[in-house]
Amino acid sequence: MSTPADAKRLSLFAVVVCALAVAAAVVSFVNGLWVGVVWLLLAGLASNMAWYYVRRARALSRREG
């Protein structure tokens, strides 16, 4: 069973991946490469994962507390 600290760590990791994917998308589009669309999709996925793990951490902390 995971702990709230694990879920918080995963949500932070997902936020970092999201920010890096957005930066990569910007660089790709500035250079005229359409691969930036893939980076945007990855950013959306990472954003959804971050929200999921934030909600999971809150639920686990409420359950323990």
Side-chain angles (χ1 to χ4, degrees), residues 2-64:
S2 63
T3 64
D6 293 336
K8 285 182 184 179
R9 189 176 310 115
L10 285 171
S11 67
L12 180 62
F13 179 71
V15 167
V16 169
V17 169
C18 181
L20 290 174
V22 168
V26 169
V27 169
S28 294
F29 285 130
V30 166
N31 289 329
L33 301 173
W34 285 98
V35 75
V37 173
V38 175
W39 289 113
L40 284 179
L41 293 173
L42 180 64
L45 177 67
S47 172
N48 286 340
M49 288 177 60
W51 279 113
Y52 171 78
Y53 284 115
V54 165
R55 289 192 312 256
R56 184 176 172 96
R58 287 181 187 162
L60 287 173
S61 66
R62 285 184 191 139
R63 189 181 306 166
E64 287 181 357

